[in-house]
Amino acid sequence: MTCRQENAGVYAPVHRHMKDASECTRPKLISLVMPAYNEQGTLRVAFDRLEDVFAGSPYEWELVLVNDGSSDDTLLEATTYRSRAFRMVVVDLSRHFGKEAALSAGLRSASGDAVIPMDADLQDPPELVLEMISRWAKGAEVVIARRSDRGSDLWTKRFSAALFYRAFNMMSDVAIPENVGDFRLMDRSVVDAINGLPENRRFMKGLFAWAGFRTEEIDYVRPSRASGATKFNTFRLVNLAIEGVTSFSTAPLRLVTYLGVSVAIAAMAYGCYIALRTLIYGVELPGYASIVSLLAFLSGLQLLGLGIVGEYVGRSYMESKSRPPYVIRGIFRSDAG
């Protein structure tokens, strides 16, 4: 089995799902999309688990691993691995673009009849893939894995995740299922629909939910990481939450409008009160502390409003440049055997 590099480009080729007479006889191809950023220590364990799961399966298997600008030997580990059960497609990005961009690159490079994004840290159990495929074979176009128990996560992460899902679903017309990540099975028609979207700044959980299609859920217990530590810190999670809200809702802009109207009405009412009080009781000694506090409060509201408007303006500015979400340095392929 040899490993060869293809020409690099901005996007990997978009594979169209062509239906012909041979489709009825050939085995279905299942593609797993695995973004990886400094996952050298977990890849071999993940590959061995996949070998065990795929052994004796009637399907053909493809693992699309996206090296998201790793600084360790993730790329070397992936390109030198020789699988017995699945063929390997390694997409090497030119730098670290982030998980959302890496996932987009993997979806564009996957050629399977069904595509399953999953993490390299084995918190997405490979054994659940077979049950997803069983649901897909019975007619489901999307099979999502819902975490019934997040005991492996810190309480702060569980609390912030629950808060985000509730706030997002209140503001957005597209509801994201709670405790559902990127781990899911999608039919080729779903993947083609997502790949065809023109936007470059992508919040993938929202796009998956926006696409719709016939969806079923599978509950599972999320295990701990196989090794290493998560690459998402609090700052990145907050940025991802802001990205998601501004991608799918204009409710924050409306909220600022309502808040401005409320403050204006309150200011007018207070002005009328001061005028009547002055007419009745005369002028009192000014309260400098209350004036300073009121000015600080109103200034904070103005800065908040400018910040929210700036998020939307900045997003429009970045989209107007039409820059791709990622750049591919090269693609390496190896066959099973």
Side-chain angles (χ1 to χ4, degrees):
M1 180 176 58
T2 60
C3 187
R4 60 188 184 276
Q5 180 179 3
E6 298 180 353
N7 293 331
V10 173
Y11 288 111
V14 180
H15 300 274
R16 298 295 182 183
H17 182 48
M18 303 300 292
K19 294 185 178 181
D20 51 33
S22 63
E23 184 179 341
C24 299
T25 58
R26 69 171 177 83
K28 295 289 186 180
L29 174 64
I30 310 298
S31 296
L32 275 73
V33 174
M34 183 181 291
Y37 176 60
N38 292 340
E39 296 288 358
Q40 174 190 357
T42 62
L43 285 186
R44 185 54 63 99
V45 178
F47 293 161
D48 291 342
R49 285 272 295 275
L50 293 177
E51 296 276 3
D52 295 338
V53 171
F54 299 160
S57 170
Y59 297 96
E60 292 184 357
W61 298 92
E62 173 187 67
L63 176 60
V64 181
L65 188 140
V66 184
N67 177 43
D68 187 21
S70 300
S71 58
D72 61 2
D73 290 332
T74 295
L75 179 62
L76 179 63
E77 187 74 25
T79 54
T80 57
Y81 183 78
R82 298 296 176 262
S83 171
R84 302 181 308 275
F86 54 86
R87 68 193 192 203
M88 180 83 77
V89 179
V90 181
V91 181
D92 183 29
L93 302 186
S94 62
R95 65 171 177 84
H96 179 57
F97 287 91
K99 185 180 179 181
E100 306 298 289
L103 184 54
S104 297
L107 293 180
R108 285 186 173 271
S109 301
S111 55
D113 299 291
V115 180
I116 305 174
M118 65 182 302
D119 291 339
D121 56 15
L122 294 179
Q123 287 192 290
D124 298 336
E127 293 77 11
L128 202 62
V129 168
L130 297 180
E131 185 175 353
M132 290 180 173
I133 294 174
S134 176
R135 300 284 189 94
W136 172 62
K138 295 177 182 178
E141 294 168 311
V142 178
V143 183
I144 58 179
R146 188 176 69 86
R147 304 160 191 167
S148 59
D149 184 357
R150 300 189 62 164
S152 61
D153 294 333
L154 296 174
W155 73 268
T156 52
K157 187 174 181 180
R158 295 196 300 268
F159 174 78
S160 59
L163 182 64
F164 166 74
Y165 283 120
R166 291 178 184 176
F168 182 93
N169 291 336
M170 286 178 60
M171 291 186 290
S172 174
D173 294 333
V174 178
I176 298 180
E178 291 192 28
N179 296 321
V180 173
D182 298 325
F183 188 35
R184 66 191 64 211
L185 179 146
M186 293 177 289
D187 185 78
R188 166 52 54 183
S189 58
V190 182
V191 176
D192 286 343
I194 294 173
N195 287 339
L197 297 176
E199 58 197 89
N200 294 323
R201 296 176 63 88
R202 296 186 158 208
F203 178 63
M204 299 306 293
K205 292 182 181 65
L207 293 181
F208 292 153
W210 177 88
F213 292 89
R214 292 191 298 272
T215 302
E216 296 186 11
E217 290 187 4
I218 296 177
D219 289 339
Y220 77 105
V221 177
R222 185 172 175 83
S224 301
R225 286 179 60 92
S227 65
T230 179
K231 309 303 187 300
F232 279 94
N233 53 33
T234 302
F235 180 73
R236 287 186 176 181
L237 290 174
V238 170
N239 283 342
L240 183 62
I242 294 175
E243 186 77 18
V245 171
T246 55
S247 295
F248 285 88
S249 175
T250 58
L253 293 175
R254 288 195 295 269
L255 179 62
V256 170
T257 301
Y258 298 151
L259 186 60
V261 171
S262 300
V263 171
I265 293 175
M268 291 176 62
Y270 185 70
C272 293
Y273 165 76
I274 293 298
L276 290 174
R277 184 186 179 110
T278 301
L279 291 174
I280 297 173
Y281 299 104
V283 179
E284 295 182 353
L285 184 67
Y288 293 106
S290 60
I291 293 176
V292 171
S293 299
L294 185 59
L295 287 176
F297 173 71
L298 293 177
S299 298
L301 288 182
Q302 289 176 337
L303 290 176
L304 174 63
L306 286 175
I308 292 176
V309 172
E311 285 290 335
Y312 286 91
V313 172
R315 184 176 182 84
S316 300
Y317 170 67
M318 297 302 294
E319 286 287 347
S320 68
K321 293 181 177 181
S322 298
R323 290 177 183 170
Y326 56 84
V327 177
I328 295 178
R329 177 185 289 117
I331 301 177
F332 304 82
R333 298 182 185 274
S334 60
D335 298 325

